[in-house]
Amino acid sequence: MSELNTQLRELRERFDAAVAAAQDAQALDAARVAFLGRSGEVTLLRRGIGQLPAAERPSAGKEINAAVELMEAALQDAEAALQSREFEAELGMRIDVTFPAPPAALGAIHPLRRVTEDICRYFQRHGFAVVLGPEIEPEYYNFDALNIPADHPAREGFDSFFLTGNLLLRPHTSPMQIRTMQQHRPPVAVVVPGRCYRRDAVDARHHFQFHQIEGLLVDRGVHFGHLKGMLTGMCRELFGRDQQVRFRPSFFPFTEPSAEVDTTCPLCRASGSPCRMCGGSGWIELGGSGMVHPNVLRNMDYDPAEYSGWAFGFGVERMALVRYDIDDIRRFYENDPAFLKQLA
Ligand code: DAH
């Protein structure tokens, strides 16, 4: 019994020395094989158990097992220490922590957001509130309340995406005129930026999703001159101080009279020369506008004899194309960092 003890202690000492001396995984493995391998020293010791008196065999077996457990743990510790040493050596070799880092890529504000924010800021300065509305609307807000009855051909002109029931993806931001007037008594003065959807085939000038900005002012004594003044100011803020605005007679069911709004082409300055932006006409179309139709006011329980108002709805993409001299609307949705950076 004590002889086995001595043998084990002597074996452990040599094993510990071999492990401590191992400089790499190979050396560690050699120690494992020499002591704990199938024909290693511990196996030889185990074989000696058979020659002991039967009564001593169980405790001898236990002692050897306990020693093996300790040896295996020591091997694992040594292995882990070796690996972290190797890892650190690798880090030290390959990574120069003093090397200058590449500059972090800076994001840029999207041109559509920029145009939207500039317009909102302009109107806010003049006392308007910015409000947002749902992109899914019932037909009531999209059409009925805006004086477009169910059988009116203007409904078809909106080429809407219909969802279940009477819900659709809003084809314009005008429904927010109704929601605003439902919630507030006059005076109301709001602008409504937002995404809209229409069943349009995608090309350089059209997309099935686009953005509009809506404006609505209702109060006593509001007239067309106020509209012209505000829109002229808006165009000068967006495109430059010499901008002019003109109105062309048009039709919208929710305004009377109605007009299309044009502004002078900022690219050719209406010089009459051939221009890829305005086609030489000197004018850029921004969208629709007009005096709020009495039927719409009545739908909201506003008395048309007491109150009048104007409204407009402009395409944000159109204004951004012109402002940044871009030739294709699809560029706004491609998320090309080079394109966005160029406009930053
Ligand atoms: N909602 C119209 C459209 O998308 C544009 C429009 C025209 C809006 C006249 C208005 C307006 O507020 O008064 O075609």
Side-chain angles (χ1 to χ4, degrees):
M1 186 53 203
S2 74
E3 193 190 341
L4 177 65
N5 246 326
T6 321
Q7 279 176 319
L8 270 178
R9 193 177 313 124
E10 185 267 342
L11 186 146
R12 277 292 308 276
E13 271 165 22
R14 282 188 293 112
F15 171 80
D16 288 343
V19 168
Q23 289 298 323
D24 52 32
Q26 259 174 321
L28 259 193
D29 210 50
R32 182 202 311 279
V33 172
F35 289 89
L36 300 168
R38 268 213 301 163
S39 37
E41 296 204 32
V42 173
T43 308
L44 291 179
L45 265 190
R46 271 196 216 282
R47 284 201 191 123
I49 293 179
Q51 276 128 49
L52 294 175
E56 290 176 16
R57 286 177 204 163
S59 66
K62 266 187 208 157
E63 237 171 296
I64 293 177
N65 286 347
V68 166
E69 231 169 82
L70 288 175
M71 289 159 83
E72 275 171 353
L75 266 178
Q76 261 175 20
D77 287 350
E79 214 162 15
L82 208 63
Q83 270 171 9
S84 73
R85 229 177 18 240
E86 276 170 12
F87 182 62
E88 267 159 34
E90 239 172 77
L91 281 185
M93 272 193 299
R94 295 210 190 134
I95 296 182
D96 175 1
V97 293
T98 67
F99 197 80
L106 261 190
I109 293 176
H110 196 280
L112 295 177
R113 170 166 282 269
R114 210 174 252 256
V115 167
T116 303
E117 282 180 354
D118 287 353
I119 294 175
C120 287
R121 208 175 301 120
Y122 165 79
F123 279 97
Q124 278 175 306
R125 271 204 323 268
H126 291 82
F128 285 64
V130 177
V131 293
L132 304 176
E135 292 176 23
I136 294 175
E137 286 278 21
E139 286 175 296
Y140 171 76
Y141 289 101
N142 261 294
F143 302 124
D144 302 271
L146 285 165
N147 200 34
I148 317 176
D151 54 356
H152 199 287
R155 277 206 188 193
E156 246 112 89
F158 284 102
D159 285 328
S160 306
F161 288 108
F162 280 88
L163 307 171
T164 52
N166 66 349
L167 294 175
L168 58 151
L169 292 177
R170 68 174 175 197
H172 56 171
T173 41
S174 302
M176 272 309 282
Q177 290 190 30
I178 301 305
R179 288 187 182 275
T180 305
M181 287 189 275
Q182 268 184 343
Q183 279 175 19
H184 303 279
R185 301 303 302 164
V188 295
V190 294
V191 281
V192 191
R195 214 189 297 263
C196 305
Y197 305 86
R198 287 190 200 186
R199 288 184 290 110
D200 263 336
V202 174
D203 63 24
R205 298 265 150 187
H206 302 88
H207 210 279
F208 55 82
Q209 75 168 8
F210 56 97
H211 298 74
Q212 283 190 342
I213 187 153
E214 190 89 9
L216 174 71
L217 173 70
V218 183
D219 200 356
R220 293 192 180 89
V222 170
H223 60 74
F224 216 103
H226 298 138
L227 176 61
K228 183 165 190 184
M230 284 303 292
L231 294 184
T232 304
M234 185 200 93
C235 288
R236 290 185 177 169
E237 179 125 336
L238 273 187
F239 302 117
R241 38 194 308 217
D242 299 323
Q243 288 303 117
Q244 307 275 334
V245 165
R246 79 172 181 188
F247 292 93
R248 278 179 294 117
S250 184
F251 172 78
F252 298 101
F254 32 94
T255 42
E256 180 60 34
S258 302
E260 302 275 354
V261 183
D262 299 341
T263 188
T264 35
C265 176
L267 209 66
C268 67
R269 306 236 132 265
S271 63
S273 53
C275 173
R276 71 190 127 80
M277 193 57 80
C278 66
S281 74
W283 294 95
I284 299 287
E285 186 183 317
L286 298 178
S289 72
M291 299 304 294
V292 180
H293 198 290
N295 287 351
V296 175
L297 294 175
R298 267 191 288 269
N299 287 342
M300 299 297 105
D301 282 328
Y302 286 18
D303 179 2
E306 189 178 358
Y307 294 106
S308 56
W310 50 248
F312 66 86
F314 292 168
V316 177
E317 276 80 357
R318 165 56 65 89
M319 293 186 277
L321 285 173
V322 173
R323 188 183 198 184
Y324 301 110
D325 191 9
I326 295 160
D327 58 0
D328 195 321
I329 195 175
R330 288 167 288 196
R331 291 195 148 274
F332 290 132
Y333 312 117
E334 280 167 352
N335 289 332
D336 172 4
F339 167 75
L340 296 173
K341 208 170 186 169
Q342 201 183 335
L343 301 177

